[in-house]
């Protein structure tokens, strides 16, 4: 069964320190992985997707199929990174696949 | 429009009443998704459409929930005989293609409270 696990509900990190938000998944096929972010008083929006291999706002995420993980990382946290982060999974181009979200991790950047 | 629009933003109603939640996707977007998000949880898939066709409704919790998108644009999620456990944030998202592996564009959501 499809499943996305974000083990941390809350992560507090000092400004300037490295950030790692964990995401593990379970999927029988080839997954497409995403990170979505919701800043205070804003709508949920895409942060990055693994297929793009981009760095967005200093964040990167590498798909590790051996460990079935897609952890989100940033070397130096900034106060504006405080937000709710959701890891999500879908199949690759399969029209019958739904999108599964994790429960989310609240990232709190301490000054 | 500039983005996905959902209405109303807030809905408070008494148990047993029917409610209809509206989603106006980005113009031209093929796919439209409905999610429900309880407090402390991630968005939970309910159903989705490609154009006017409902492709998957496996996430609808029971037959009190239904959705339609008759002209392939605006969609309505209807909850009949509401119960307190239906209280949640209901989110709509669209994407330009018919493929679930494309980024979702979300609306602001409708917060539903059942008294």
């Amino acid at each position: 069964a499809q499943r996305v696990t974000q083990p941390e509900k809350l992560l507090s990190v000092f400004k300037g320190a490295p950030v790692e938000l964990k995401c593990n998944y379970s999927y029988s096929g080839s997954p497409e992985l995403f990170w979505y972010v919701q800043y205070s008083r804003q709508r949920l929006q895409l942060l990055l997707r693994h297929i793009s291999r981009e760095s967005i706002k200093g964040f990167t995420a590498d798909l590790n199929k051996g460990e079935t993980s897609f952890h989100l990382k940033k070397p130096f946290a900034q106060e504006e990174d405080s937000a709710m982060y959701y890891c999500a999974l879908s199949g690759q181009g399969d029209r019958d696949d739904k999108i599964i979200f994790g429960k989310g991790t609240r990232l709190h950047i301490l000054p | 429009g500039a983005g996905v629009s959902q209405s109303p933003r807030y809905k408070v109603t008494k148990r047993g009443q029917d409610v209809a939640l509206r989603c106006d996707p980005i113009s031209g977007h093929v796919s439209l998704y409905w999610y429900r998000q309880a407090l402390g949880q991630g968005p939970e898939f309910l159903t989705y459409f490609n154009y006017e066709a409902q492709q998957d409704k496996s996430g609808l919790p029971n037959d009190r929930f239904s959705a339609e998108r008759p002209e392939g644009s605006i969609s309505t999620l209807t909850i009949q005989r509401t119960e307190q456990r239906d209280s949640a944030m209901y989110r709509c998202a669209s994407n330009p293609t018919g493929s679930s592996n494309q980024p979702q564009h979300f609306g602001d959501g409708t917060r539903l409270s059942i008294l």
Side-chain angles (χ1 to χ4, degrees):
Chain A
Q2 295 179 349
R3 189 168 58 247
V4 176
T5 303
Q6 293 180 250
E8 304 135 331
K9 290 188 74 171
L10 172 65
L11 184 64
S12 295
V13 173
F14 283 103
K15 178 181 171 182
V19 174
E20 184 179 50
L21 299 171
K22 291 185 167 52
C23 173
N24 288 90
Y25 67 90
S26 173
Y27 186 69
S28 56
S30 294
E32 177 73 33
L33 275 297
F34 305 85
W35 277 98
Y36 283 82
V37 61
Q38 187 170 21
Y39 301 102
S40 179
R41 296 190 183 86
Q42 294 187 28
R43 54 184 63 179
L44 193 58
Q45 58 187 283
L46 178 71
L47 178 63
L48 56 78
R49 51 192 297 209
H50 93 267
I51 201 168
S52 301
R53 296 188 166 275
E54 294 173 300
S55 172
I56 306 293
K57 299 185 179 183
F59 284 97
T60 59
D62 291 320
L63 179 60
N64 185 324
K65 292 187 177 181
E67 295 183 357
T68 60
S69 69
F70 188 57
H71 303 327
L72 183 68
K73 299 178 183 179
K74 183 169 182 176
F76 307 105
Q78 298 171 285
E79 287 191 60
E80 55 264 35
D81 296 329
S82 292
M84 196 74 191
Y85 291 80
Y86 296 95
C87 183
L89 170 154
S90 76
Q92 284 190 0
D94 185 336
R95 288 173 181 250
D96 293 327
D97 267 358
K98 62 188 95 172
I99 299 171
I100 304 297
F101 283 82
K103 292 184 177 182
T105 298
R106 181 168 296 284
L107 178 63
H108 183 208
I109 305 302
L110 303 166
Chain B
V4 177
S5 176
Q6 290 187 248
S7 60
R9 289 290 305 277
Y10 303 92
K11 178 71 177 178
V12 181
T13 192
K14 290 184 178 178
R15 182 166 51 96
Q17 298 294 305
D18 297 350
V19 295
L21 310 181
R22 174 187 162 120
C23 174
D24 193 351
I26 293 172
S27 179
H29 276 200
V30 171
S31 296
L32 184 150
Y33 291 74
W34 282 101
Y35 298 90
R36 179 171 68 174
Q37 187 171 12
L39 208 58
Q41 304 292 316
E44 173 194 15
F45 170 84
L46 295 177
T47 185
Y48 90 96
F49 295 82
N50 280 346
Y51 300 106
E52 72 281 0
Q54 192 170 21
Q55 299 288 343
D56 185 340
K57 57 180 181 179
S58 63
L60 296 177
N62 51 61
D63 60 7
R64 295 187 297 106
F65 286 72
S66 62
E68 61 174 10
R69 193 187 185 197
E71 297 177 1
S73 178
I74 293 169
S75 177
T76 302
L77 176 69
T78 301
I79 309 173
Q80 295 178 308
R81 306 180 302 282
T82 52
E83 301 177 5
Q84 284 189 326
R85 59 179 171 156
D86 299 334
S87 296
M89 174 72 84
Y90 288 82
R91 297 192 185 275
C92 175
S94 67
N95 83 44
T97 74
S99 182
S100 65
N101 68 354
Q102 296 301 308
Q104 306 264 294
H105 299 261
F106 282 86
D108 287 322
T110 293
R111 184 166 295 284
L112 177 63
S113 297
I114 308 299
L115 304 177

